[in-house]
Amino acid sequence: MGADPQQVIDAAPAGTTFCFAKGVHRISRAIRPRAGDTLSGGPGVVLTGSVRLDGWKRDGGRWVVRAVLPAPYQLKGQCEDNKTKPCQRGEQVFVDGKHLTRVMSLEQVKPGTFFGDDQANAVYVADDPDGHEVEMSRTPTAIEKSADDVTVTGLTIEHFASRPQGGALQVGRGWTVTANEVRWNHAVGIMVIEGDRAELSRNTVADNGQLGIGQYKSAGVRITANLVTRNNTDGFWIADWESGGIKSTRSSGEVSGNDIVANRGIGMWSDIAEYDRRITGNRIRDNAADGIRYEISYQAVIEQNVVESNGFGTGRGSGGSLWDGGGINVNTSSGVQVRGNLVKGNRNGISIQSRTRGDGPRGTYVLAEVVIEGNLVVMDDATASTGVVENKGSPTKAGAVTFRRNSYQIDGKAADRFAFRGKTMTWNEWQQAGFDQDSISS
């Protein structure tokens, strides 16, 4: 393809396959494919949303380049630092491909950081840029969801200044997105928006500033065999604002066979009116918050996942109680089956929460018909527990939650490692409360 991919696309009929040549393609406006188009690449094919920063001048103990920032735009996003809110701005700076950390004042600039001064329209760094390639992400989106049934394959998509909750790669209805590497974009790497029947497979989605993969109002989506790792590099709120590996809202479909590893947030999060969701056969480990969270939603199967060493991130709103979650967290949802999972060495084991959360499209959000069955739960930390917590306005109804045929490995039967109705319990007390009466503990 030439310097402007859109001109080539517009000159061909819909349903054409377009192959990008090996090399770096600087994208200054989002590519808009037509129905049935294929955008393909291969090793060494890179789409970047960055521009080179040249013309640096010495400024005391720093270097500065001017007139490079974009026009002001609306800011949003909840940051771990909720005072200066550094996560809200989209531009990132890279020196020889290395991501610099944004600081929010000129006085904070030190090696490995940058400051974007919007009022002066200037970018400052501490290290001499002479002899180095310095780039700044500027274009918000690589590919827009402009038509149905598009295929995107074999591309590296990096350094796009995607806005919070916005994707560098937008995915629409019937899209196939396979074997791409989507990395170092400011907000979401891949965002499925009203993309019924989309399929995402065998992609590496890494080091994006907020979230690896997002899904919104999209039915029957399949997210399979992807590596989703090290996302939330730009400091979005770890505990509770759409940061980490995968988050889906008002959608359905399958999330299976993925490696969701070392994200600074929740590993896999279904939130708000999810339905008919299957989360199966994933390896979810070392994420800063919950491994899996299923929140104010309906009808799900969470099955045969390995959920290990999640929930040990620290920060605003993080903690060790069951209110803060666990390896698997079911929050005020109904019709959820959690079965056949290995839940090992997480901050907590399985956390079931009943809160007052209002109404959704399929009825009031309520904890009901939740079955926890056939799981192996290893609680090998002194603070780890499993159980049910509730607020005063939403007491757990009798029979709403069933624990059965599970196996637990804990420090001892005398330890208070379970909880129900505001009380911590030993294994024996937990069984006397009606849970896990046919399960074993060792």
Side-chain angles (χ1 to χ4, degrees):
M1 283 193 129
D4 186 351
Q6 195 62 53
Q7 290 183 357
V8 178
I9 290 170
D10 291 344
T16 298
T17 295
F18 302 95
C19 297
F20 285 84
K22 184 177 181 179
V24 175
H25 301 259
R26 295 193 182 273
I27 307 300
S28 59
R29 57 170 175 157
I31 298 169
R32 296 177 58 83
R34 288 86 38 81
D37 282 352
T38 295
L39 305 180
S40 69
V45 176
V46 178
L47 308 188
T48 179
S50 68
V51 294
R52 293 190 180 94
L53 297 184
D54 298 313
W56 293 91
K57 297 186 181 300
R58 188 72 179 258
D59 183 78
R62 299 171 291 262
W63 279 261
V64 61
V65 62
R66 302 185 184 278
V68 294
L69 291 170
Y73 52 87
Q74 185 176 1
L75 301 178
K76 68 175 182 177
Q78 293 288 326
C79 307
E80 190 67 36
D81 172 4
N82 66 342
K83 294 182 180 179
T84 63
K85 298 180 172 38
C87 73
Q88 294 183 339
R89 291 165 172 80
E91 302 77 43
Q92 299 169 298
V93 174
F94 301 86
V95 177
D96 297 332
K98 182 180 179 180
H99 174 264
L100 302 187
T101 299
R102 179 188 292 277
V103 296
M104 297 303 288
S105 71
L106 192 57
E107 293 72 25
Q108 294 175 302
V109 173
K110 62 181 181 180
T113 70
F114 79 99
F115 171 54
D117 187 337
D118 291 288
Q119 291 185 338
N121 195 352
V123 173
Y124 294 86
V125 297
D127 297 306
D128 186 353
D130 186 47
H132 299 277
E133 183 174 62
V134 185
E135 301 170 278
M136 183 185 73
S137 57
R138 187 180 174 103
T139 305
T141 307
I143 302 170
E144 288 186 349
K145 63 169 207 74
S146 52
D148 296 346
D149 302 318
V150 171
T151 297
V152 179
T153 184
L155 301 175
T156 295
I157 297 172
E158 66 178 20
H159 299 182
F160 284 84
S162 46
R163 307 294 189 249
Q165 297 180 310
L169 171 56
Q170 295 181 4
V171 175
R173 189 166 52 224
W175 283 42
T176 299
V177 178
T178 184
N180 303 282
E181 183 169 2
V182 184
R183 66 191 188 192
W184 290 117
N185 303 290
H186 171 62
V188 186
I190 303 175
M191 187 71 198
V192 184
I193 307 171
E194 296 177 338
D196 295 356
R197 301 177 289 99
E199 297 195 11
L200 281 59
S201 67
R202 296 184 295 112
N203 302 285
T204 296
V205 190
D207 300 301
N208 295 287
Q210 177 199 344
L211 188 69
I213 297 173
Q215 182 179 341
Y216 177 69
K217 283 190 176 180
S218 302
V221 173
R222 298 183 69 244
I223 301 174
T224 62
N226 302 281
L227 172 61
V228 183
T229 186
R230 300 188 306 272
N231 295 289
N232 190 16
T233 59
D234 281 353
F236 287 83
W237 187 16
I238 291 172
D240 214 27
W241 200 83
E242 204 162 314
S243 66
I246 301 173
K247 184 174 183 186
S248 182
T249 299
R250 302 182 186 278
S251 299
S252 66
E254 172 188 347
V255 177
S256 66
N258 302 282
D259 282 294
I260 306 172
V261 181
N263 298 284
R264 294 184 63 216
I266 296 166
M268 170 61 210
W269 187 0
S270 281
D271 184 28
I272 309 174
E274 293 274 282
Y275 56 96
D276 296 336
R277 171 65 72 189
R278 296 185 63 86
I279 303 170
T280 63
N282 302 284
R283 294 158 296 276
I284 302 175
R285 63 185 188 274
D286 297 319
N287 299 287
D290 300 326
I292 299 171
R293 182 184 295 180
Y294 201 75
E295 183 172 2
I296 55 171
S297 293
Y298 316 89
Q299 302 304 127
V301 173
I302 301 171
E303 184 176 36
Q304 296 183 352
N305 302 282
V306 175
V307 184
E308 186 172 5
S309 301
N310 300 285
F312 292 98
T314 58
R316 182 163 68 95
S318 298
S321 80
L322 284 172
W323 286 112
D324 299 301
I328 297 177
N329 174 0
V330 179
N331 182 342
T332 321
S333 296
S334 57
V336 182
Q337 300 179 55
V338 180
R339 62 196 190 203
N341 302 281
L342 171 60
V343 184
K344 180 181 179 182
N346 301 282
R347 184 68 174 267
N348 285 298
I350 297 176
S351 170
I352 310 298
Q353 302 177 1
S354 180
R355 303 175 185 249
T356 305
R357 300 297 298 271
D359 297 328
R362 289 170 170 77
T364 300
Y365 295 124
V366 64
L367 188 67
E369 299 177 6
V370 175
V371 178
I372 314 298
E373 179 176 21
N375 304 281
L376 172 57
V377 182
V378 181
M379 295 185 288
D380 55 4
D381 186 273
T383 62
S385 59
T386 284
V388 183
V389 291
E390 58 194 25
N391 63 18
K392 292 181 180 179
S394 297
T396 306
K397 294 182 179 180
V401 183
T402 300
F403 282 77
R404 65 192 183 204
R405 293 192 285 275
N406 299 292
S407 298
Y408 297 90
Q409 294 179 9
I410 57 178
D411 290 340
K413 292 184 179 181
D416 292 335
R417 305 300 286 274
F418 298 88
F420 181 53
R421 290 187 171 163
K423 297 181 180 179
T424 58
M425 297 178 171
T426 65
W427 169 248
N428 289 334
E429 290 170 335
W430 174 251
Q431 287 189 308
Q432 290 168 11
F435 300 106
D436 275 319
Q437 294 180 328
D438 55 357
S439 301
I440 60 173
S441 170
S442 61

Coordinates of all heavy atoms in Angstrom, one line a residue, residues 282-339:
N282 N -9.6 -20.6 30.3 CA -8.6 -19.5 30.3 C -7.6 -19.8 31.4 O -7.8 -20.4 32.4 CB -9.3 -18.2 30.5 CG -10.3 -17.9 29.4 OD1 -10.0 -17.6 28.3 ND2 -11.6 -18.0 29.8
R283 N -6.4 -19.2 31.1 CA -5.3 -19.2 32.2 C -5.2 -17.7 32.6 O -4.7 -16.9 31.8 CB -4.0 -19.7 31.6 CG -4.1 -21.2 31.3 CD -3.1 -21.7 30.3 NE -3.3 -21.0 29.0 CZ -4.2 -21.5 28.0 NH1 -4.9 -22.5 28.3 NH2 -4.3 -20.8 26.9
I284 N -5.6 -17.5 33.8 CA -5.8 -16.1 34.3 C -4.9 -16.0 35.6 O -5.3 -16.5 36.6 CB -7.2 -15.7 34.6 CG1 -8.1 -15.9 33.3 CG2 -7.4 -14.3 35.1 CD1 -9.6 -15.8 33.5
R285 N -3.8 -15.3 35.5 CA -2.9 -15.3 36.6 C -2.2 -13.9 36.7 O -2.0 -13.2 35.7 CB -1.9 -16.4 36.5 CG -1.0 -16.3 35.3 CD -0.1 -17.5 35.2 NE 0.9 -17.4 34.1 CZ 0.7 -17.7 32.8 NH1 -0.4 -18.2 32.5 NH2 1.7 -17.6 32.0
D286 N -1.8 -13.6 38.0 CA -0.9 -12.5 38.3 C -1.5 -11.1 37.9 O -0.8 -10.2 37.6 CB 0.5 -12.6 37.6 CG 1.2 -13.8 38.1 OD1 1.1 -14.1 39.4 OD2 1.8 -14.6 37.3
N287 N -2.9 -11.0 37.8 CA -3.5 -9.7 37.6 C -3.7 -9.0 38.9 O -3.9 -9.6 40.0 CB -4.8 -10.0 36.9 CG -4.7 -10.6 35.5 OD1 -4.2 -10.0 34.6 ND2 -5.0 -11.9 35.5
A288 N -3.7 -7.7 38.9 CA -3.6 -6.9 40.1 C -4.9 -7.0 40.9 O -4.9 -6.9 42.2 CB -3.3 -5.4 39.8
A289 N -6.0 -7.1 40.3 CA -7.3 -7.2 41.0 C -7.9 -8.6 40.8 O -7.2 -9.6 40.7 CB -8.2 -6.1 40.5
D290 N -9.2 -8.7 40.8 CA -9.9 -10.0 40.6 C -9.3 -10.7 39.3 O -9.1 -10.1 38.3 CB -11.4 -9.9 40.4 CG -12.1 -9.2 41.5 OD1 -11.6 -9.4 42.7 OD2 -13.1 -8.5 41.3
G291 N -9.3 -12.1 39.4 CA -9.0 -12.8 38.2 C -10.2 -12.8 37.3 O -10.0 -12.4 36.1
I292 N -11.4 -13.1 37.8 CA -12.6 -13.0 37.0 C -13.6 -12.3 37.9 O -13.8 -12.6 39.0 CB -13.2 -14.4 36.6 CG1 -12.2 -15.2 35.8 CG2 -14.5 -14.3 35.9 CD1 -12.6 -16.7 35.5
R293 N -14.3 -11.3 37.3 CA -15.4 -10.6 38.0 C -16.6 -10.7 37.1 O -16.6 -10.2 36.0 CB -15.0 -9.2 38.3 CG -16.1 -8.5 39.1 CD -15.8 -7.0 39.3 NE -14.7 -6.8 40.2 CZ -14.2 -5.6 40.6 NH1 -14.8 -4.5 40.1 NH2 -13.2 -5.5 41.4
Y294 N -17.7 -11.2 37.7 CA -19.0 -11.2 36.9 C -20.0 -10.3 37.7 O -20.4 -10.7 38.8 CB -19.5 -12.6 36.8 CG -20.5 -12.7 35.6 CD1 -20.1 -12.7 34.3 CD2 -21.9 -12.8 35.9 CE1 -21.0 -12.8 33.2 CE2 -22.8 -12.9 34.8 CZ -22.3 -12.9 33.5 OH -23.2 -13.0 32.5
E295 N -20.3 -9.2 37.2 CA -21.0 -8.1 38.0 C -22.3 -7.6 37.4 O -22.3 -7.4 36.2 CB -20.0 -6.9 38.2 CG -20.5 -5.8 39.1 CD -19.4 -4.8 39.3 OE1 -18.3 -4.9 38.8 OE2 -19.7 -3.8 40.1
I296 N -23.3 -7.5 38.2 CA -24.6 -7.1 37.9 C -25.0 -7.5 36.4 O -25.3 -6.7 35.6 CB -24.8 -5.5 38.1 CG1 -23.8 -4.7 37.3 CG2 -24.8 -5.2 39.5 CD1 -24.2 -3.2 37.4
S297 N -25.1 -8.8 36.3 CA -25.3 -9.5 35.0 C -26.1 -10.7 35.2 O -26.5 -11.1 36.3 CB -24.0 -9.7 34.3 OG -23.4 -8.5 33.9
Y298 N -26.4 -11.4 34.1 CA -27.2 -12.6 34.1 C -26.6 -13.8 33.3 O -25.8 -13.6 32.4 CB -28.6 -12.3 33.3 CG -29.2 -10.9 33.7 CD1 -28.8 -9.8 33.0 CD2 -30.1 -10.8 34.7 CE1 -29.4 -8.5 33.2 CE2 -30.7 -9.5 35.0 CZ -30.3 -8.4 34.2 OH -30.9 -7.2 34.5
Q299 N -27.0 -15.0 33.7 CA -26.7 -16.2 33.0 C -25.3 -16.3 32.5 O -24.9 -15.8 31.4 CB -27.7 -16.3 31.8 CG -29.1 -16.3 32.1 CD -29.6 -17.3 33.1 OE1 -30.1 -17.0 34.2 NE2 -29.3 -18.6 32.8
A300 N -24.5 -17.0 33.2 CA -23.1 -17.2 32.8 C -22.6 -18.6 33.2 O -23.1 -19.2 34.2 CB -22.2 -16.2 33.4
V301 N -21.6 -19.1 32.5 CA -20.9 -20.3 32.9 C -19.4 -19.9 32.9 O -18.9 -19.4 32.0 CB -21.1 -21.5 31.9 CG1 -20.2 -22.6 32.2 CG2 -22.5 -21.9 31.8
I302 N -18.8 -20.1 34.1 CA -17.4 -19.8 34.4 C -16.8 -21.2 34.7 O -17.0 -21.7 35.8 CB -17.3 -18.8 35.5 CG1 -18.0 -17.5 35.2 CG2 -15.8 -18.6 35.8 CD1 -18.0 -16.5 36.3
E303 N -16.1 -21.8 33.7 CA -15.8 -23.2 33.8 C -14.4 -23.5 33.4 O -13.9 -23.0 32.4 CB -16.8 -24.0 32.9 CG -16.7 -25.5 33.0 CD -17.7 -26.1 32.1 OE1 -18.1 -25.6 31.1 OE2 -18.2 -27.2 32.6
Q304 N -13.7 -24.4 34.1 CA -12.4 -25.0 33.7 C -11.3 -23.9 33.4 O -10.5 -24.1 32.6 CB -12.6 -25.9 32.5 CG -13.5 -27.1 32.9 CD -13.6 -28.1 31.7 OE1 -13.2 -27.8 30.6 NE2 -14.2 -29.2 32.0
N305 N -11.3 -22.9 34.2 CA -10.3 -21.9 34.1 C -9.2 -22.2 35.2 O -9.5 -22.7 36.3 CB -10.8 -20.5 34.4 CG -11.9 -20.1 33.4 OD1 -11.6 -19.8 32.2 ND2 -13.2 -20.2 33.8
V306 N -8.0 -21.8 34.9 CA -6.9 -21.7 35.9 C -6.8 -20.3 36.4 O -6.4 -19.4 35.6 CB -5.6 -22.3 35.4 CG1 -4.5 -22.1 36.4 CG2 -5.8 -23.8 35.0
V307 N -7.1 -20.0 37.6 CA -7.2 -18.7 38.2 C -6.2 -18.6 39.3 O -6.5 -19.1 40.4 CB -8.6 -18.3 38.6 CG1 -8.7 -16.8 39.0 CG2 -9.6 -18.5 37.5
E308 N -5.1 -18.0 39.1 CA -4.0 -18.1 40.1 C -3.2 -16.8 40.3 O -3.0 -16.0 39.4 CB -3.0 -19.2 39.5 CG -1.8 -19.5 40.5 CD -1.0 -20.7 39.9 OE1 -1.2 -21.1 38.8 OE2 -0.1 -21.1 40.7
S309 N -3.0 -16.5 41.6 CA -2.1 -15.4 42.1 C -2.6 -14.1 41.6 O -1.9 -13.2 41.3 CB -0.7 -15.6 41.5 OG -0.2 -16.8 42.0
N310 N -4.0 -13.9 41.6 CA -4.5 -12.6 41.3 C -4.9 -11.8 42.6 O -5.1 -12.4 43.7 CB -5.8 -12.8 40.5 CG -5.5 -13.5 39.2 OD1 -5.0 -13.0 38.2 ND2 -5.9 -14.8 39.1
G311 N -5.0 -10.5 42.5 CA -5.6 -9.7 43.5 C -4.6 -9.1 44.5 O -4.9 -8.5 45.5
F312 N -3.3 -9.1 44.1 CA -2.3 -8.6 45.0 C -1.8 -7.2 44.6 O -0.8 -6.7 45.2 CB -1.1 -9.6 45.1 CG -1.5 -10.9 45.8 CD1 -1.8 -12.0 45.1 CD2 -1.6 -10.9 47.2 CE1 -2.2 -13.2 45.7 CE2 -1.9 -12.1 47.8 CZ -2.2 -13.2 47.1
G313 N -2.5 -6.5 43.7 CA -2.1 -5.2 43.4 C -2.5 -4.2 44.6 O -3.4 -4.5 45.3
T314 N -1.8 -3.2 44.7 CA -2.1 -2.2 45.7 C -2.5 -0.9 45.1 O -2.2 -0.6 43.9 CB -0.9 -2.0 46.6 OG1 0.2 -1.5 45.8 CG2 -0.5 -3.2 47.3
G315 N -3.2 -0.1 45.8 CA -3.6 1.2 45.3 C -4.9 1.6 45.9 O -5.5 1.0 46.8
R316 N -5.5 2.7 45.3 CA -6.7 3.2 45.7 C -7.9 2.2 45.7 O -8.2 1.7 44.6 CB -7.0 4.4 44.8 CG -8.3 5.2 45.2 CD -8.2 6.6 44.5 NE -8.3 6.5 43.0 CZ -9.5 6.6 42.4 NH1 -10.6 6.8 43.0 NH2 -9.5 6.6 41.1
G317 N -8.5 1.9 46.8 CA -9.6 1.0 46.9 C -9.3 -0.4 46.9 O -10.1 -1.3 47.0
S318 N -8.0 -0.8 46.9 CA -7.6 -2.2 47.0 C -7.6 -2.6 48.5 O -7.3 -1.8 49.4 CB -6.2 -2.4 46.4 OG -6.1 -2.0 45.1
G319 N -7.9 -3.9 48.7 CA -7.9 -4.4 50.1 C -7.9 -5.9 50.1 O -7.9 -6.5 49.0
G320 N -8.0 -6.5 51.2 CA -8.0 -7.9 51.4 C -9.3 -8.6 51.8 O -9.3 -9.8 51.9
S321 N -10.4 -7.8 51.9 CA -11.6 -8.4 52.3 C -12.3 -9.0 51.1 O -12.0 -8.7 50.0 CB -12.5 -7.4 53.0 OG -13.2 -6.6 52.0
L322 N -13.3 -9.8 51.4 CA -14.1 -10.4 50.3 C -14.9 -9.3 49.5 O -15.3 -9.5 48.4 CB -15.1 -11.4 50.9 CG -14.5 -12.8 51.2 CD1 -15.5 -13.7 52.0 CD2 -14.0 -13.5 50.0
W323 N -15.1 -8.2 50.2 CA -15.7 -7.0 49.4 C -14.8 -6.6 48.3 O -15.2 -6.0 47.3 CB -16.0 -5.9 50.3 CG -17.2 -6.0 51.2 CD1 -17.2 -6.2 52.6 CD2 -18.5 -6.1 50.8 NE1 -18.5 -6.3 53.0 CE2 -19.3 -6.3 52.0 CE3 -19.2 -6.0 49.6 CZ2 -20.7 -6.4 52.0 CZ3 -20.6 -6.1 49.6 CH2 -21.3 -6.3 50.7
D324 N -13.5 -6.8 48.4 CA -12.5 -6.4 47.4 C -12.3 -7.5 46.4 O -11.5 -7.3 45.4 CB -11.2 -6.1 48.1 CG -11.3 -4.9 49.1 OD1 -11.7 -3.8 48.6 OD2 -11.0 -5.1 50.3
G325 N -13.0 -8.6 46.5 CA -13.0 -9.6 45.5 C -12.1 -10.8 45.8 O -11.6 -11.0 46.9
G326 N -11.8 -11.6 44.7 CA -11.0 -12.8 44.9 C -10.6 -13.3 43.6 O -10.6 -12.6 42.5
G327 N -10.2 -14.6 43.6 CA -9.8 -15.2 42.3 C -11.0 -15.1 41.3 O -10.9 -14.8 40.2
I328 N -12.2 -15.5 41.8 CA -13.4 -15.4 41.1 C -14.4 -14.6 42.0 O -14.6 -15.0 43.1 CB -14.0 -16.8 40.7 CG1 -13.0 -17.5 39.8 CG2 -15.4 -16.6 40.0 CD1 -13.5 -18.9 39.4
N329 N -15.0 -13.6 41.4 CA -15.9 -12.7 42.1 C -17.3 -12.7 41.4 O -17.3 -12.3 40.2 CB -15.3 -11.3 42.2 CG -16.2 -10.3 42.8 OD1 -17.4 -10.5 43.2 ND2 -15.7 -9.0 42.9
V330 N -18.3 -13.1 42.0 CA -19.7 -13.0 41.4 C -20.4 -11.9 42.2 O -20.7 -12.1 43.4 CB -20.4 -14.3 41.5 CG1 -21.9 -14.2 40.9 CG2 -19.7 -15.4 40.7
N331 N -20.7 -10.8 41.6 CA -21.3 -9.7 42.3 C -22.7 -9.4 41.8 O -22.9 -9.0 40.6 CB -20.3 -8.5 42.0 CG -20.8 -7.2 42.7 OD1 -21.9 -7.0 43.1 ND2 -19.8 -6.2 42.8
T332 N -23.7 -9.6 42.6 CA -25.1 -9.3 42.4 C -25.6 -9.7 41.0 O -26.1 -8.9 40.3 CB -25.3 -7.7 42.6 OG1 -24.5 -7.3 43.7 CG2 -26.7 -7.4 42.9
S333 N -25.3 -10.9 40.7 CA -25.7 -11.5 39.4 C -26.5 -12.8 39.6 O -26.5 -13.4 40.7 CB -24.4 -11.8 38.6 OG -23.7 -10.6 38.3
S334 N -27.2 -13.2 38.6 CA -28.1 -14.3 38.7 C -27.9 -15.3 37.6 O -27.4 -15.0 36.5 CB -29.6 -13.9 38.6 OG -29.9 -13.2 37.4
G335 N -28.1 -16.6 37.9 CA -28.0 -17.7 36.9 C -26.5 -17.9 36.6 O -26.2 -18.2 35.4
V336 N -25.6 -17.9 37.5 CA -24.2 -18.1 37.3 C -23.7 -19.4 37.8 O -24.0 -19.7 39.0 CB -23.4 -16.9 37.9 CG1 -21.9 -17.1 37.6 CG2 -23.9 -15.6 37.5
Q337 N -23.1 -20.2 36.9 CA -22.5 -21.4 37.3 C -21.0 -21.3 37.3 O -20.4 -21.0 36.3 CB -22.9 -22.5 36.4 CG -24.4 -22.8 36.3 CD -24.8 -23.9 35.4 OE1 -24.3 -25.0 35.4 NE2 -25.6 -23.6 34.4
V338 N -20.3 -21.6 38.4 CA -18.9 -21.5 38.6 C -18.4 -23.0 38.9 O -18.6 -23.5 40.0 CB -18.4 -20.6 39.7 CG1 -16.9 -20.6 39.8 CG2 -19.0 -19.2 39.4
R339 N -17.9 -23.6 37.9 CA -17.6 -25.1 38.1 C -16.3 -25.5 37.4 O -15.9 -25.0 36.4 CB -18.8 -25.9 37.5 CG -19.0 -25.7 36.0 CD -20.4 -26.1 35.5 NE -20.5 -26.2 34.1 CZ -21.6 -26.1 33.4 NH1 -22.8 -26.0 34.1 NH2 -21.6 -26.2 32.1

